[in-house]
């Protein structure tokens, strides 16, 4: 493992959904970096950190790195570049390093930029797969996402446009991530299309987990970042 960087997927929140492979890597590496979000109050929150604390992994080697949360990505990219240099130095000294990501590390993962930087810098980066949040969400309520010949489309909320919803939903099951970013289009669409089926999930696999398939309840909800909306015609 010496000198290797591992991109370790931790799943969406339930520590039981961490794979055995991820756990073994986390136990064996010298240093584990996990991303946290720096809130305006200065407090750092880390979903990955919460999962790690529930695992048999030595907390002494875990380092939380704060990624500033802002629409302007410049400061976040700066934080990744600084971390890249820190990891490069550890690897050059023969240390092995894990960098965690929520859900699956190769699926809409902000840490992807960091893994890319490390590869460009000549580091050996290996990825460890994990359970993506939308898979865990469907499973948590026994929802069979796609059956037989059905098709599935996953999109982030910020690319939601009404025409897309209209045309797509008749042919596909649609999974919308980062729901609040599409709120302005989604709310009127949902209110108009009462014939469709909706499943709304928040904070899957955490103590704050919430789910409803009741349209009025969804419309009354204050959408949070860690949420997923599934729309289907049947
Ligand atoms: N790599 C992650 C996705 C990160 S993008 C994965 O594989 O799932 C962040 C988005 O993921 C959030 O806006 C939300 O839509 C979704 N998400 C991540 N964790 C979640 C959770 N525990 N519950 C609900 N949605 C979650």
């Amino acid at each position: 493992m010496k000198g290797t960087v591992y991109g370790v997927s931790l799943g969406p929140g339930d520590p039981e959904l961490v794979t055995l492979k991820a756990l073994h890597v986390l136990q064996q590496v010298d240093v584990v970096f996990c991303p946290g979000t720096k809130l305006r109050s200065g407090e750092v929150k880390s979903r990955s950190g919460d999962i790690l604390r529930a695992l048999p992994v030595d907390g002494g080697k875990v380092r939380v790195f704060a990624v500033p949360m802002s629409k302007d990505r410049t400061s976040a990219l700066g934080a990744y570049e600084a971390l890249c240099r820190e990891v490069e130095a550890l690897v050059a000294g023969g240390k092995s390093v894990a960098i965690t990501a929520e859900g699956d590390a190769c699926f809409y993962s902000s840490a992807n930029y960091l893994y890319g930087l490390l590869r460009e810098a000549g580091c050996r980066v290996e990825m460890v797969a994990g359970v993506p949040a939308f898979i865990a969400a469907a499973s948590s309520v026994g929802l069979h996402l796609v059956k037989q010949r059905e098709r599935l489309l996953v999109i982030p909320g910020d690319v939601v446009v009404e025409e897309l919803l209209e045309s797509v939903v008749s042919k596909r099951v649609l999974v919308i991530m980062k729901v609040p970013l599409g709120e302005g289009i989604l709310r009127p669409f949902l209110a108009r299309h009462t014939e469709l089926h909706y499943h709304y999930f928040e904070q899957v696999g955490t103590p704050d987990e919430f789910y409803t398939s009741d349209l009025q309840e969804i419309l009354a909800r204050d959408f949070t970042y860690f949420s997923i909306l599934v729309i289907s015609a049947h």
Side-chain angles (χ1 to χ4, degrees):
M1 294 181 98
K2 261 179 171 289
T4 304
V5 178
Y6 295 87
V8 178
S9 306
L10 292 181
D14 178 356
E16 300 253 318
L17 288 183
V18 172
T19 65
L20 284 177
K21 184 166 183 172
L23 180 59
H24 291 154
V25 168
L26 293 167
Q27 286 174 329
Q28 283 161 26
V29 292
D30 298 304
V31 184
V32 178
F33 285 99
C34 80
T37 308
K38 196 171 199 169
L39 307 178
R40 279 187 197 94
S41 61
E43 189 196 347
V44 177
K45 283 206 156 185
S46 173
R47 163 77 43 96
S48 290
D50 294 343
I51 301 171
L52 279 172
R53 264 192 297 282
L55 300 176
V57 171
D58 171 15
K61 66 182 179 184
V62 176
R63 303 185 194 170
V64 176
F65 64 95
V67 183
M69 208 159 122
S70 152
K71 279 233 163 73
D72 175 11
R73 297 266 296 146
T74 322
S75 46
L77 299 187
Y80 285 131
E81 275 150 27
L83 181 62
C84 177
R85 286 189 287 276
E86 203 177 331
V87 173
E88 265 184 86
L90 285 165
V91 165
K95 302 279 189 216
S96 55
V97 174
I99 302 169
T100 65
E102 294 145 15
D104 180 82
C106 289
F107 186 76
Y108 290 125
S109 178
S110 42
N112 193 48
Y113 176 71
L114 178 58
Y115 303 133
L117 282 181
L118 287 162
R119 281 198 191 94
E120 276 169 31
C123 296
R124 184 167 63 240
V125 182
E126 285 184 24
M127 304 304 291
V128 180
V131 180
F134 79 97
I135 294 291
S139 173
S140 71
V141 295
L143 172 67
H144 197 124
L145 257 187
V146 269
K147 298 181 241 359
Q148 297 177 350
R149 310 196 72 189
E150 287 169 3
R151 293 186 284 172
L152 178 77
L153 182 70
V154 183
I155 58 171
D158 49 352
V159 305
V160 165
V161 283
E162 196 143 1
E163 309 86 81
L164 177 80
L165 289 176
E166 304 266 355
S167 64
V168 150
V169 161
S170 57
K171 298 195 199 80
R172 299 184 178 101
V173 175
L174 191 60
V175 171
I176 301 175
M177 318 265 301
K178 309 182 186 186
V179 181
L181 305 182
E183 177 147 33
I185 299 280
L186 286 170
R187 282 193 189 279
F189 179 88
L190 266 61
R192 208 164 49 249
H193 290 275
T194 54
E195 78 286 5
L196 298 174
H197 296 278
Y198 303 100
H199 299 271
Y200 174 73
F201 303 87
E202 281 178 10
Q203 311 273 5
V204 177
T206 76
D208 300 320
E209 188 171 88
F210 172 83
Y211 164 76
T212 182
S213 58
D214 181 286
L215 179 55
Q216 294 315 318
E217 231 181 305
I218 298 174
L219 287 171
R221 197 80 187 164
D222 212 358
F223 298 148
T224 63
Y225 178 73
F226 281 106
S227 59
I228 287 172
L229 180 66
V230 177
I231 309 181
S232 70
H234 48 268

